[in-house]
Amino acid sequence: MDTLAERILPEAKIHEMIALTPEGRDRVLLRLLYATGGRVSEICAVKWRHVQANGDSGQITLFGKGAKTHAVVLPMSIWNDLVAFRAGADDDAPVIVSRKGGGHLDRSQVLRIAKQAARRAGIRRKVSPHWFRHAHASHAMDRGAGIHPVCATLAHSSVAITGRYLHAKPTESSAKFLAV
């Protein structure tokens, strides 16, 4: 049974989760998860040398599953937040730092942060950080992004995988077009 549709939160709920998260590391983390569609392991591994200017904005290079490397152009608002958040950190320092020892944030901590954000937004389901990836794909296509850029951003191996999001939108159905 495919439960993908159950794991795609409405855009307003994603924004509420982010807005209700206190300024700082955790909010930057949630915004990066959503804006990049990155996997938790990709976001946790990012160092400042993987974040660079790109024209008017910036980009982040993610190293993912299957040894795939992909660069994601960031919206100006995220880029500005990252520039301010860096606060002089060294190029080899992690972007999202653990409060225990200053190394990379652990995946279990990202899960805790996502669950807390969901609770603050009144979401009772067992939200995981991967739901931000699902939301990225679905919301980008809802807003007119083509399947190929979404596929490239998520580093999917084929558009068939990305195409699952086209079929998972719980607000769309051909039944709405029938005279029943």
Side-chain angles (χ1 to χ4, degrees), residues 92-105:
D92 286 323
V95 171
I96 306 297
V97 179
S98 170
R99 292 189 178 123
K100 296 178 181 178
H104 291 276
L105 192 64

Side-chain angles (χ1 to χ4, degrees), residues 75-148:
M76 181 62 89
S77 62
I78 304 285
W79 175 247
N80 290 338
D81 283 355
L82 278 175
V83 169
F85 182 68
R86 183 170 186 171
D90 184 76
D91 280 351
D92 286 323
V95 171
I96 306 297
V97 179
S98 170
R99 292 189 178 123
K100 296 178 181 178
H104 291 276
L105 192 64
D106 183 79
R107 294 170 51 107
S108 65
Q109 288 299 98
V110 179
L111 177 60
R112 180 190 56 78
I113 292 164
K115 284 182 175 184
Q116 286 175 342
R119 266 194 306 276
R120 281 190 294 272
I123 301 167
R124 297 182 186 269
R125 295 184 285 165
K126 293 184 178 185
V127 173
S128 80
H130 202 75
W131 288 32
F132 285 85
R133 182 174 171 84
H134 296 313
H136 172 102
S138 182
H139 300 166
M141 286 192 280
D142 286 348
R143 290 180 161 268
I147 195 167
H148 289 93

Side-chain angles (χ1 to χ4, degrees), residues 9-22 27 30 34 116-123 132 139:
L9 293 169
E11 189 172 352
K13 275 298 179 188
I14 292 288
H15 288 288
E16 185 178 358
M17 288 172 65
I18 292 168
L20 293 175
T21 298
R27 186 182 288 189
L30 296 179
Y34 183 53
Q116 286 175 342
R119 266 194 306 276
R120 281 190 294 272
I123 301 167
F132 285 85
H139 300 166

Side-chain angles (χ1 to χ4, degrees), residues 2 5 22 25 30 49 55 60 62 65 68 70 85 98 101 112 133 153 160-161 174-175 180:
D2 189 359
R25 180 198 72 179
L30 296 179
R49 65 182 145 93
I60 189 166
L62 301 176
K65 197 161 117 179
K68 290 182 193 155
H70 53 114
F85 182 68
S98 170
R112 180 190 56 78
R133 182 174 171 84
T153 298
I161 294 168
S174 59
V180 179

Side-chain angles (χ1 to χ4, degrees), residues 11-51:
E11 189 172 352
K13 275 298 179 188
I14 292 288
H15 288 288
E16 185 178 358
M17 288 172 65
I18 292 168
L20 293 175
T21 298
E23 295 276 345
R25 180 198 72 179
D26 294 355
R27 186 182 288 189
V28 169
L29 168 67
L30 296 179
R31 292 187 78 204
L32 276 176
L33 284 168
Y34 183 53
T36 65
R39 293 176 181 91
V40 175
S41 58
E42 294 171 340
I43 299 299
C44 287
V46 172
K47 296 180 184 298
W48 283 109
R49 65 182 145 93
H50 304 140
V51 178

